[in-house]
Amino acid sequence: MKNRKSIKLSLIVPFYNEEKMVDIFFETVIPIVKKISNDYEIICVNDSFADTTFELLKKWHFINNKIKVLTFSRNFGKEAAMTAGVDYCTGDAAVFIDADLQDPPQELSKMVEKWKEGFDVVLMKRLRRNKDSFFKRVTAYCFYRIINFMSHKMVEKDVSDFRLLDRKVLDVLKCLKEKNRFMKGLMSWSGFKKCDLYFERPARIKGKTKFNCSKMIRLAFDGIFSFSIMPIRLFTLLGILLSIISFIWIFYIIYQKLYLGDVVSGWASIMSIILFFNGVIMIGLGVLGEYVGRVYNEVKDRPIYVVDQELF
Ligand code: UDP
Ligand code: MG
């Protein structure tokens, strides 16, 4: 193991239409990082096309060549941007940090201290979610409980992407080439020695959240379906249960026919049973489709992101 007295620190920052944040981000982060180590790099992954983020990043790259810029050919999403950051960073340890300063850079020195103590993964846990909207709090609460129930505690509760990873973990992540990416899950899957730090997540300073409802649902589905086969297993269990019930029912119908002579029973009950089971079958097919779709994506083997320009 490399001795951890000094560090080359990589920051991995995804930018998606963050023109309002670029200057404030570097003005805040650079002095803090310099205090930790003069050997650093800031890998900016530009995932945006609707504004001037790229021009601003370029300007900063020419001011400070430790700021490295990678721009995608289109918006590939935050998970792809983080993946690119992992592929390109060269530090002894890397920290994922959002461009909107919601992951307070003031915490970086504490994270590096923990790394120096020998931890390979430093997770940043949120103390409260009082700055989030009610909708985000409820969905996050449900999501973490569901995914942990389904994936045998694969994802730590209330841990954002803001975390430090040692080179060992980064090298493992580089080998995980799956296309349906849920980075939090992949990072937990890698294992290694972890520790938690707690932080208060401030509100976004400028700009709007880039995670709308459909992006959040997509991420939640990727998380659940790439880390658990429990949804499909639940359908197998449901199928077994329904078969047992039907079997008992058949005996009852035979009994009715032989002893009660009352064979024409209600239309309503038959209709409700048909409708109910049709619903169950459709959901089952949908769940199956989620897995088949993911297998299809993996088989196509397209790259996770396409790089247009590199300023290194
Ligand atoms: N982001 C990205 N691609 C996307 C969406 C978001 O690179 O498709 C970046 C965004 O620029 C920011 C980080 O991911 O640096 C977190 O996004 P945001 O602040 O909108 O998410 P929230 O904090 O609301 O969960
Ligand atoms: Mg944010």
Side-chain angles (χ1 to χ4, degrees), residues 53-147:
T53 305
F54 181 57
E55 280 65 39
L56 291 167
L57 290 175
K58 215 151 84 179
K59 175 191 90 179
W60 277 95
H61 168 73
F62 291 117
I63 295 173
N64 178 345
N65 67 1
K66 289 184 167 146
I67 297 174
K68 299 173 176 171
V69 183
L70 201 68
T71 190
F72 284 170
S73 61
R74 65 168 170 84
N75 174 247
F76 279 89
K78 187 181 179 189
E79 307 298 301
M82 290 164 70
T83 306
V86 169
D87 292 343
Y88 279 79
C89 76
T90 56
D92 303 316
V95 174
F96 297 104
I97 184 165
D98 284 356
D100 58 2
L101 293 176
Q102 280 196 285
D103 300 335
Q106 294 75 7
E107 304 290 328
L108 285 171
S109 60
K110 283 188 225 154
M111 297 165 86
V112 172
E113 279 315 308
K114 285 283 170 198
W115 176 80
K116 286 187 176 163
E117 283 171 28
F119 291 101
D120 300 315
V121 178
V122 183
L123 298 170
M124 299 302 287
K125 287 203 166 174
R126 304 177 56 164
L127 275 171
R128 281 178 280 269
R129 282 184 172 267
N130 50 359
K131 301 271 174 12
D132 285 352
S133 66
F134 176 73
F135 175 72
K136 191 139 189 179
R137 264 182 286 170
V138 172
T139 47
Y141 181 89
C142 297
F143 172 67
Y144 284 115
R145 265 89 199 154
I146 293 173
I147 193 162

Side-chain angles (χ1 to χ4, degrees), residues 14 16 18 47 75 99-100 102 136 204 209-210 215:
Y16 177 46
E18 300 281 7
D47 196 18
N75 174 247
D100 58 2
Q102 280 196 285
K136 191 139 189 179
R204 194 179 240 280
T209 174
K210 308 297 178 315
K215 261 193 172 158

Side-chain angles (χ1 to χ4, degrees), residues 156-183:
E156 294 85 1
K157 254 189 286 171
D158 292 328
V159 179
S160 57
D161 290 321
F162 185 33
R163 57 183 78 194
L164 177 144
L165 304 179
D166 179 64
R167 171 59 35 205
K168 282 191 283 195
V169 190
L170 294 165
D171 288 342
V172 172
L173 282 179
K174 271 166 108 165
C175 301
L176 303 178
K177 288 292 170 208
E178 55 191 86
K179 317 291 171 200
N180 301 289
R181 290 193 89 72
F182 179 62
M183 290 297 279

